[in-house]
Structure formats: C-alpha cells, structure tokens
Amino acid sequence: MTKSVYIASSERLVSKSSIALGVIDLFARQVRSVGVFRPLVHSLEADAVTQALLSPKGVNQSLESAVGVTYAEYAADPDEAIDTIVAKYSALSESRDAVVIVGSDYDDFESALELDHNAVIAANLNSPVIFVARAKDRSAEQVQRMTESAVDAFESRHNTVIALIATHADEGHEEEVASALHKVRDAVVAVLPDSPVLRAPSVGAQFAAVGATQWLGQSEFLAHESLHTIVGGMTLPNLLPYLKRESTVIMPADRLDLLPGLVMAHRSPHYGPLSAMVLTGGFEIPESVSKLFTDSTIDLPIAVTKGDTFSTAVKLQGVRGTSTSSPRKIEVSRALFSQHVDEAALLQKIDLTTTEIRTPTMFEYQIMQQARANKQRIVLPEASDDRILEAADVVLQRSVAELILLGDLPRISQRASELGLNLSDATVVNPEDPELLEQFAQEYAKLRAHKGISVDQARERMRDHSYFATMMVHLDMADGMVSGAINTTAATIRPSLEFIKTKPEVSVVSGSFLMCMSNRVLVYADCAVNPDPTPEQLADIAISSAATAENFGIEPRVAMLSYSTGDSGSGADVDKVREATRLVRERAPHIKVEGPIQFDAAVDEVVAAKKMPGSEVAGRATVFIFPDLNTGNNTYKAVQRTSGAVAIGPVLQGLRKPVNDLSRGALVDDIVSTITITAIQAQAN
C-alpha cells in the first residue's frame, strides 16, 4: 500500500515547499518511487514550486499527474473538486511507493477557510499531516498557540498530525520554540533556524519590483539571490563597514563617485560578493562615466530606476522570494531539513517500509546525508580550475564538507565573482605562504631523510600544490584531499605514497569504483592503480574494498574474479586468485569471500546455483575484485556504457588518510561526488 504524508500550513511564507523537498529526499532514500501531489493550485500550468518539487532525481512524473484542481474550480464546486482530487491522487499512488502531498499556498481564500479546505482534503486522501509554522519574529508562546489552533482544525476533520515543524526561527530561540511545540501534541518536533537564503528574492525580481532597467552586468546573474538591502548614502570609507555579502546596494544616480569603489568591494574577499546595485532618481548617466564602465568588464548587475531612494528601499525590503525557486535554495532546503529533523522518528510515524533495493538516487541522497552528519575538511589544490570552483560552490551549498582552496585569495575571489559563485564559506590558503612552506619543508625533509632529501630540496618540492595539500592532510590541517582535474594520477598519488603511507595492515594502494546500477550499488576494484597485482596485493585489495563497501553502507560479499569458477580450472592466473582468496580468509575471516569465481556466477543467481550452490557470495556479490588492471578497467567502462550505470571514483583505498584522484575530464558533478565520498572516507578514519 502506498504511504503518503500531507504537508500543510495555515499561512504564507513558511517555506512549506522546503520541508516538502526534505521529505521527498527522505522517501527517495527508502523506496524506489516517490510521487508529488499538489491538490490545490493557482493554475494547472507549471509554477516555480511545482517545478522545484518535480526536479529531484527520485521523482519522475508529469506535471499533469502532480496537480489536482485550481482554486477557482474548488470555489465553484467543492464536492466535485474533492472527487477530482481523490481520483487524480489515486491514479498517481498506484505507481508510487510513497507520495508527498503539499497543501495550498494561502493566496486566494480567507485563512481560516483555507485551513479547513486543507483539513478536508487531507482527510479524503487519508494522509497523516506534517504541520509547518513560521516562527520568525514570534515568541514561543505565539507559535504554540497558532499551532494548537491549526492542529485542532485538522483533528476536527479526523486527521492525524504526526509532526510539527517550525521554520525561520530567530537565532537563539530554537530550543524555546521546540519546547513549546512539544506541549501541543505527541508528535515529531523540529525547529529550523531562519535562513536568509530561503526568503531572499532574486535580483531580477528586485529590479522588476522597482521598475529598474539594467545598465551593466551579466544578465544571467539576475537569477542570483539578494540577501540584504543596503542604502549607500555615505562616502566610501564610511559605507564599506556596512556592506554585507550578497547585498543589493541602493544609491542615488548622482553619487556615481561610489561606483568604482563598490565594484572593487564586490570583487574583494573582505566585502564581496555583492548581488546588485540600483541607482535611483532617474538621473542620466554622464557619457564620460558610461564610457568608463562600458569599456570595463562588469559582472555585477547594475540597474537604474526613476524612483527616489526611500521609496525604492521600501519596495525592495518588501520583495520576498519562494523558498525553492533556485538550485541554491533547493540545496539549502535539503541541508536544513537533514540537519534539524529527526528523520528516523518521522519515518517511524509514517510507517514507511524500507526497500532493500538501492537505486543511484537513493545512494546519492544517502552519501550526502552521511557526509553532512560529520563534516570533514577537504583540501582542493587545483583552485585555478573553474570546475573545481563550481564544484566547491555546490558542496558548500549542500553543506557536505568544509573546503580549503589552495591559491591566491584575491584571484579566487575575482574568478568566483566572474562565475557568479559564492565561495565566502571556503577557507583559502596561499601555497606561497613562507611560514607554511618552511614548516612543510622541514617536515618533509625529516620524513624523507632516509632518501637523502635536503631542506632546500624539500622547499622546492613543497611548491608543488599536490605536495603542499598532501602535507596539510598529513599534519591534520585537512582531513582529506581531492586532486587530478589538472594533475595526473601519478602526481596526485605520489606524495601520499611518500609520507602519508598505507595503513599498517595494507601493503598496496588500490582504486575502486562505486558502480551505481539501476537497483543497487557495487564496488569494483582494482580498476585504477595496479597493473598486475600479486596474490598478497590482490588480498589487500579485496580487504580494502570490503572496508570501502562498509563505509558506504554496502554489505561486503567479495567475489575474487577469474576465468574459472571453483576448482574447474587451472593455470597461473587462476592459481593467483585462489591463493589471494585463501589469504583473505586467513587475514579477515569475517569477510564473506568466494574465489576464483567467474563474473556471471558472481552476479546471476541462476548461474550461481549451478556452478557454486550454497555459496553466500555467488549470485549475490557486491564487491568484485578483478585479477588485473586491464580486466578491471575495461569491465567497469563496459558495464557503465552498456547498462547505464553511474561510476563514482576512483576511490583510492589503503592510505592512512583519504586522498582521491579525479579524471582530467571530470565534470562538476563528478568532482562533487568525489569530494563527498572523500569526506565519508575521512569520517571512517
């Protein structure tokens, strides 16, 4: 039977859609198919909220199946509208394991009446209710009274309220609000702190609200959020201390003397980035100033309006954004939900049965959640590459890791500004810092003294960003490193082999891929490092790969692959795998391992029943150990191409601390995934 939950509020601007996104993600980690349904909408055409709710990878449905009736249809004939809503919901639920139902937006009816409409709809859909209240600028008692009134309304219609969530709580009042909500009902209680990002309007919406015409800047930056509004009426030295990142600065158009300084502030790591500037008063831009700025590269959107400064500021203060109207807001919504909602308790209330199947979407959500639970510091030595900066922006939005970028702070800030990225939460370390260079050189010379490395040689070696970043990991200034977008695999791994070294029980570094198949996640190794491992090395690879599987929630059942299964074949290659299997059983008797075994016997239960009956691994393998690099590398690529599997990696195994390599052609999504899995490896260490 399809499980569902109805997310409701009793007013506008509560970020209800943000909570819906969090629940969608939660469901997507548990079941194969998740549906979204909005019973009451303004229009049956797509709007920003519906598009956002249909965007997660775990949701694959048409707009038509996601909406019920319009406000106008409900007002004209409520009974017929209810029948239509129930019919559409029933049709959707037939093809979904779980459905997230999102209540109305409180725009067209009187508030108390609309609350009752939601209660009636929830009852007809037989869905438990999550009630969402806005806590900003309210006392805990006010939130409690408002929530009690709404819960009474739902329960009077025979609904069950299973969770009470307060959003936009003022800083320092979260515990007080939570305590008040616990007095309302025996339900799951969560309080999410206020997020300026979620309520922020876009720059484009601000310009439209004041009738402003864009003069300079990149048009695509109009989609960026504006978190603050500041009136610039002072001289530049007095104005700078009042600037806040991602602000829209309003100033009279006859104060153009401020423009150069504000453009510089936008690109400054100390004050920027800004979101936009609005020039008020309708004054004509002098030709001399126009030439100066149009001949320059200005990415910051600058617009001109005829309104005066005061009225423009008032209008901009009143502009509010939708909490799921941009990719950034979606990521912030997900992070806030996962950090502040007791997901296990909520699932228990909903009584959602978890499937044993694990899709790529489930895996993606799971590793993000796992990384967020204990954020690690990951250093990125290739901050001169735009892909690294773009991936860093995504990682920071998702709140899955703390990032350290190697490079020159002003250059990184300027490039981030040009790309429309906000990297202000990243730490930037200058690899030319003489104090750090000397500290690292002394340490490297000490570690490599047995190789005759002098301090002068060590100083030169530490100017290599890969060595510098690896030394940060070695000295616990970072928990892990990701490199390879610019550097070769050898350049990424070599420093680790020199002074991070392998774990005590491991003799070899190997590379595995997390293979996200259509219904499960597997580990393939070694597909990246060792051309022809010995039996001892192959055993090490198997043990390391089993540990990798466990780190990512995969039960390790290890298949030691060969062209022969069991005792059916002979020869040096088969004997190598047979000996490696014996060593695994001897050194790690807790690991379920089988070998030598052919690939088909490892993955197909029918074949396994014939070739290796009674095996705990055959037909159910989750970790595949290839006998050599040629076989492993070709197989993972072939499986990826023929089955549509998503390969994440390589994940380097066996090191004391995690270092991971990127393909030189890595896409931004690949880099984000690698940073996330590196953070999880760091947690395991």
Side-chain angles (χ1 to χ4, degrees), residues 141 150 180 396 423 669:
E141 291 74 18
L396 293 172
L423 302 179
D669 285 348

Side-chain angles (χ1 to χ4, degrees), residues 608-620:
K610 296 178 180 178
K611 293 189 175 183
M612 197 167 276
S615 169
E616 291 184 293
V617 174
R620 304 172 60 232

Side-chain angles (χ1 to χ4, degrees), residues 64 67 103 178 180 221 234 274 358 461 500 513 528 676:
E64 182 181 5
V67 295
F221 287 7
M234 311 177 214
L274 301 177
R358 203 176 195 196
R461 190 64 54 85
I500 284 185
F513 280 84
T676 304

Side-chain angles (χ1 to χ4, degrees), residues 238-257:
N238 292 323
L239 176 59
L240 286 175
Y242 288 93
L243 292 182
K244 297 179 180 178
R245 288 190 171 97
E246 298 187 82
S247 296
T248 293
V249 180
I250 309 165
M251 65 182 192
D254 61 353
R255 287 299 311 274
L256 295 177
D257 55 302

Side-chain angles (χ1 to χ4, degrees), residues 42-54:
H42 296 290
S43 168
L44 298 181
E45 301 295 325
D47 60 13
V49 172
T50 306
Q51 288 176 334
L53 296 178
L54 293 176

Side-chain angles (χ1 to χ4, degrees), residues 213 215 250-257 259 278-287 289-290 302-310 312:
T213 302
W215 171 41
I250 309 165
M251 65 182 192
D254 61 353
R255 287 299 311 274
L256 295 177
D257 55 302
L259 268 182
V278 177
L279 309 181
T280 62
F283 301 106
E284 185 176 347
I285 305 295
E287 184 180 356
V289 175
S290 181
I302 303 175
V304 179
T305 181
K306 293 181 179 180
D308 63 82
T309 302
F310 178 77
T312 298

Side-chain angles (χ1 to χ4, degrees), residues 71-78:
Y71 281 88
E73 290 171 332
Y74 196 99
D77 190 337

Side-chain angles (χ1 to χ4, degrees), residues 4 21 283 329 389 403 539 606 639 666:
S4 65
L21 274 176
F283 301 106
K329 289 186 176 187
L389 298 182
L403 296 183
V606 175
V639 170

